[in-house]
């Protein structure tokens, strides 16, 4: 396994996206969904990013990239169309100890972003380790269509049962057995 799978808590964390096109828009939207404070660096913005700026959902700096833009960032995404600029962003982020994802350049990245599904508390991620992102997308679409609606409902039910068990049953092993039995019975249907 080349990558260590992890889900990051980005709530209120500064995340910097460098780039003003459709890829930067996609990255900014996913960071916003995760609760991040998104700082976008670009002299130009695509229409979707302009809307986010007008809605005050992102902090925009109308500028070409400079290392100072990374100050205080938890993670950075380099999403420009210029390989030299993306390389510089990656080098600066790594020197500063900031996690970096350089779009379409896993060799310049600390992490890759899997194709993901989020419904309620259910989060499923699919990755081909950067080898075939189009396959990850296809698999995500299939999983979303075939499994997610049913499992999202089941998760909601289990969440209520777990909360009730925690309130009424002090034996953690018994709670675990009950929940595992419920999960096993669901998978055998």
């Amino acid at each position: 396994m080349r990558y260590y799978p992890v889900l990051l808590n980005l709530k209120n964390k500064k995340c910097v996206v460098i780039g003003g096109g459709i890829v930067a828009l996609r990255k900014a939207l996913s960071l916003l969904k995760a609760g991040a404070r998104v700082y976008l660096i670009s002299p130009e913005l695509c229409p979707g990013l302009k809307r986010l700026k007008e809605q005050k959902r992102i902090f925009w700096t109308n500028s070409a990239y400079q290392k100072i833009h990374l100050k205080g960032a938890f993670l950075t995404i380099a999403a420009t169309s210029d390989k030299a600029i993306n390389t510089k962003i990656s080098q600066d982020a790594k020197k500063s100890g900031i996690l970096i994802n350089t779009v379409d350049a896993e060799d310049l990245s600390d992490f890759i972003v899997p194709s993901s599904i989020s419904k309620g508390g259910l989060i499923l991620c699919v990755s081909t380790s950067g080898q075939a992102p189009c396959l990850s997308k296809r698999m995500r679409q299939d999983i979303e269509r075939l499994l997610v609606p049913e499992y999202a409902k089941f998760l909601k039910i289990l969440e209520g049962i777990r909360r009730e068990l925690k309130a009424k049953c002090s034996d953690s092993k018994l709670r675990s057995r009950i929940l595992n039995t419920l999960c096993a019975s669901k998978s055998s249907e």
Side-chain angles (χ1 to χ4, degrees):
M1 180 168 76
R2 179 169 175 199
Y3 290 99
Y4 181 73
V6 64
L7 297 172
L8 295 174
N9 178 357
L10 298 180
K11 188 167 177 68
N12 294 319
K13 290 192 171 63
K14 180 179 180 180
C15 296
V16 178
V17 178
I18 298 105
I22 197 77
V23 174
L25 173 62
R26 251 189 7 254
K27 300 300 181 178
L29 287 170
S30 66
L31 291 168
L32 287 169
K33 274 186 181 178
R37 288 181 293 121
V38 177
Y39 290 75
L40 196 106
I41 314 302
S42 178
E44 296 179 15
L45 298 177
C46 70
L49 287 170
K50 283 180 185 174
R51 275 191 300 280
L52 291 178
K53 177 189 77 92
E54 290 163 2
Q55 296 167 350
K56 299 183 189 306
R57 294 181 62 202
I58 60 172
F59 302 93
W60 176 49
T61 301
N62 181 358
S63 170
Y65 169 74
Q66 298 171 38
K67 184 178 180 176
I68 190 71
H69 294 135
L70 301 183
K71 186 174 181 173
F74 179 76
L75 71 78
T76 298
I77 297 179
T80 78
S81 56
D82 186 317
K83 184 171 173 56
I85 293 172
N86 286 345
T87 299
K88 175 74 172 128
I89 296 165
S90 174
Q91 291 167 345
D92 291 346
K94 288 180 180 191
K95 284 179 189 169
S96 299
I98 300 167
L99 292 172
I100 176 73
N101 170 258
T102 306
V103 176
D104 291 335
E106 66 181 89
D107 58 316
L108 298 175
S109 301
D110 291 323
F111 66 96
I112 58 173
V113 180
S115 188
S116 64
I117 304 160
S118 178
K119 185 164 173 97
L122 183 66
I123 300 173
L124 298 171
C125 299
V126 178
S127 176
T128 57
S129 298
Q131 295 172 353
C134 59
L135 180 59
S136 295
K137 180 179 177 182
R138 168 66 193 275
M139 292 170 64
R140 176 190 48 96
Q141 290 168 338
D142 289 347
I143 292 167
E144 195 164 22
R145 181 175 46 83
L146 297 170
L147 298 174
V148 169
E150 183 178 340
Y151 277 99
K153 287 178 199 169
F154 189 47
L155 172 61
K156 191 82 173 147
I157 293 166
L158 281 175
E159 177 187 29
I161 293 169
R162 183 171 182 250
R163 189 175 31 250
E164 194 74 20
L165 281 171
K166 279 182 140 184
K168 295 183 176 177
C169 178
S170 61
D171 185 342
S172 63
K173 288 182 182 178
L174 177 58
R175 287 194 313 257
S176 180
R177 276 197 312 271
I178 292 168
L179 290 169
N180 284 321
T181 299
L182 287 170
C183 284
S185 68
K186 177 66 177 166
S187 65
S188 66
E189 288 180 356

